[in-house]
Amino acid sequence: MDDGSNVTYIIVDGYVELRKYKYVYFFIMFFAYILIICCNSTIVYLIWIHKNLHEPMYIFIAALLLNSVLYSTSIYPKLLINFLSDRPIISYPACLFQFFIFYSVGPSEFFLLAAMAYDRYVSICKPLQYPIMMTKQIIILFLGLAWFVPALHSAVPVTLLSSTKVTFCNFYLKGIFCNNAIYTLYCATPRPVTVFGMFAVFAVVILPMLFIVFTYTRILIISHRSCKEVRKKAAETCSPHLLVLFNLTCLSVYDISIVRIESDFPKTARLIMALQIILYHPLINPLIYGFKMKEIHKHLKRLLCQIKMH
């Protein structure tokens, strides 16, 4: 679809009964967006102001939650505009930008969880070497890799799609934001994009996952052989990360496979899964860390008590 200004517009066609429920959609998603910003920012704020939370594990948690804010901000404002529009559309460049942010932030979470796994491994299995192995420089290196590597991998297909002359077979995006579903718009996805996409999945999703699984397996084996106190520490600090990893993996499997099963996937089910990605995941992370991490929960409880008193 073209409005005569040489800008391609795509119709966002993943909603169910949008005209009938557009105000319901708007108020629910507006409330969800405010909640996501407040919940994630609160935990980041607590980590920022309390010196006892200036440890590698909490710094990685703060980075993970900042990712949720960035990711949500790249999607929600446009969603809210679409809900109130007569015809929800997005320009092709804006769609590619959403695609870039989505596939920078998502894999970045795998890298941050891998950094947390390494941190827990050193803390539990090599406590005497922890100050040497988790220096400030190492933390900065992990954060840099977690943000730079996925962004680089995401930039490659976006650059290829921007610079390559692609042919659109339709302009109806079967989703509510631009993820893998954009490939269904093309008559044929450029081969370099397909080949690089397979490599990227392996490099920024599968490899970090294998590292995480290997690391936590080692932690489990060593803590099982150790005293009760070590086992308790391992359970308290590792279980929130594993829960977040499980949620992220499930949503990633759906996102990777949706293009292949697009024609057989009901519209309502597709909408529910899309809402899981943009609503459930950014909201559940601060709740998991806010209530499952003992030190964060302690400061959060104190903050809520102070708010009540005022």
Side-chain angles (χ1 to χ4, degrees), residues 14 16 174 254 258 261-274:
V16 177
K174 293 183 178 180
Y254 162 76
I258 187 61
I261 58 172
E262 187 70 39
S263 58
D264 302 322
F265 213 64
K267 191 174 185 178
T268 304
R270 191 166 57 238
L271 175 63
I272 291 169
M273 288 304 299

Side-chain angles (χ1 to χ4, degrees), residues 99-110:
F99 179 95
F100 169 74
I101 295 294
F102 183 73
Y103 290 109
S104 296
V105 171
S108 176
E109 294 194 10
F110 282 107

Side-chain angles (χ1 to χ4, degrees), residues 265 283 306:
F265 213 64
L283 266 178
Q306 288 174 354

Side-chain angles (χ1 to χ4, degrees), residues 160-177:
L160 289 171
L161 290 170
S162 301
S163 58
T164 307
K165 183 71 174 177
V166 292
T167 306
F168 290 88
C169 276
N170 76 84
F171 296 92
Y172 288 84
L173 183 74
K174 293 183 178 180
I176 60 174
F177 65 97

Side-chain angles (χ1 to χ4, degrees), residues 8 18 97 100 103 116 143 157 159 167 194 219 232 258 288:
T8 301
L18 179 58
F97 176 73
F100 169 74
Y103 290 109
M116 290 181 204
L143 289 173
T159 304
T167 306
T194 304
I219 292 172
K232 185 181 177 183
I258 187 61
I288 289 172

Side-chain angles (χ1 to χ4, degrees), residues 39 52 75 88 90 95 100 120 127 158 177 260 268 283 286 298:
C39 290
N52 70 318
I75 292 175
I90 185 170
C95 191
F100 169 74
R120 290 301 83 204
V158 169
F177 65 97
R260 312 209 187 297
T268 304
L283 266 178
K298 184 173 71 177

